Amino acid sequence: AQSVTQLGSHVSVSEGALVLLRCNYSSSVPPYLFWYVQYPNQGLQLLLKYTTGATLVKGINGFEAEFKKSETSFHLTKPSAHMSDAAEYFCAVSGGYSTLTFGKGTMLLVSP
Amino acid sequence: KAGVTQTPRYLIKTRGQQVTLSCSPISGHRSVSWYQQTPGQGLQFLFEYFSETQRNKGNFPGRFSGRQFSNSRSEMNVSTLELGDSALYLCASSLEIRETQYFGPGTRLLVL
């Protein structure tokens, strides 16, 4: 069984500031980890994923995440926020099958 | 390559009716999964199909069913609709089981 906890339902940053969205997971098997972004009235867009290998994963739009097994974490970061980053972000884990277990989501608010 | 398509995009039904939603995966993808997204429960897994076989099922009542055709297109059906079935229904496809899932734009169902 797996689960995901995203700390903070809302995160507010200023444009140009560091973005940090937190995700902790639990999994009974080696996890695959994902971050997806959802813009209003749209589906989910894949930002990045970790399967095996390098623990620092780079994704689209300048986002990256680091898999830390000892901390069971997969936090999402971006050095400099842009207004267009405002959206809801979901961390997800998959176990033996494709089934994704999602966190509750974090709404990122970016102010000018 | 075209993405995942879902039809219809919006749907209004009344309690007690049934509804069928359709999903066309990315060309060449053989696995299709369905998720329900609501403000209260977040993203929840419904079922996963691969090569016309249901491989995994989430914790939903038997009113929710699905199938996959030989061309990998999938449908899900909800019978005897309840108000609580109002949600965004997302379909995702992947090449194989445990490959990265790519999501469609969703079908927004409103039950009155």
Side-chain angles (χ1 to χ4, degrees):
Chain A
Q2 46 266 355
S3 67
V4 174
T5 301
Q6 290 185 240
L7 292 175
S9 59
H10 291 79
V11 169
S12 295
V13 300
S14 299
E15 195 172 19
L18 171 71
V19 175
L20 171 60
L21 305 182
R22 299 179 187 273
C23 171
N24 288 90
Y25 71 91
S26 70
S27 178
S28 55
V29 298
Y32 286 5
L33 294 158
F34 306 83
W35 276 99
Y36 286 87
V37 61
Q38 186 176 35
Y39 296 98
N41 299 314
Q42 294 188 27
L44 301 176
Q45 180 183 5
L46 179 69
L47 276 177
L48 49 78
K49 64 180 179 182
Y50 168 80
T51 55
T52 59
T55 57
L56 182 62
V57 179
K58 295 187 184 299
I60 62 171
N61 301 336
F63 285 95
E64 63 181 39
E66 186 170 11
F67 170 63
K68 292 188 177 181
K69 184 178 179 180
S70 62
E71 298 176 10
T72 61
S73 69
F74 191 58
H75 301 331
L76 181 71
T77 61
K78 181 174 180 178
S80 177
H82 192 272
M83 294 295 289
S84 61
D85 295 327
E88 191 160 21
Y89 292 79
F90 293 92
C91 180
V93 62
S94 77
Y97 291 95
S98 296
T99 304
L100 291 172
T101 299
F102 287 90
K104 293 293 188 183
T106 297
M107 186 68 71
L108 177 64
L109 307 170
V110 183
S111 57
Chain B
K1 188 181 279 191
V4 177
T5 58
Q6 293 186 244
T7 56
R9 291 294 311 279
Y10 302 92
L11 207 49
I12 300 175
K13 293 285 187 180
T14 56
R15 278 182 299 173
Q17 287 187 311
Q18 75 165 18
V19 66
T20 299
L21 310 182
S22 181
C23 171
S24 292
I26 292 170
S27 177
H29 285 197
R30 297 198 292 162
S31 176
V32 173
S33 298
W34 289 88
Y35 295 84
Q36 181 196 63
Q37 185 177 25
T38 59
Q41 299 299 317
L43 283 152
Q44 294 185 287
F45 169 73
L46 281 157
F47 19 68
E48 177 186 15
Y49 289 88
F50 181 80
S51 293
E52 301 179 66
T53 302
Q54 186 178 94
R55 296 303 178 113
N56 201 4
K57 189 177 190 302
N59 188 26
F60 279 81
R63 301 185 297 106
F64 291 81
S65 63
R67 57 179 176 169
Q68 186 181 35
F69 302 95
S70 59
N71 61 359
S72 294
R73 191 177 69 83
S74 177
E75 289 181 348
M76 66 163 282
N77 184 77
V78 188
S79 62
T80 319
L81 284 166
E82 300 177 359
L83 296 180
D85 297 333
S86 295
L88 180 66
Y89 290 88
L90 293 164
C91 169
S93 75
S94 58
L95 272 170
E96 302 284 340
I97 285 181
R98 227 193 173 193
E99 293 286 332
T100 301
Q101 293 186 34
Y102 296 91
F103 285 79
T107 293
R108 188 165 297 279
L109 171 65
L110 177 61
V111 181
L112 302 175

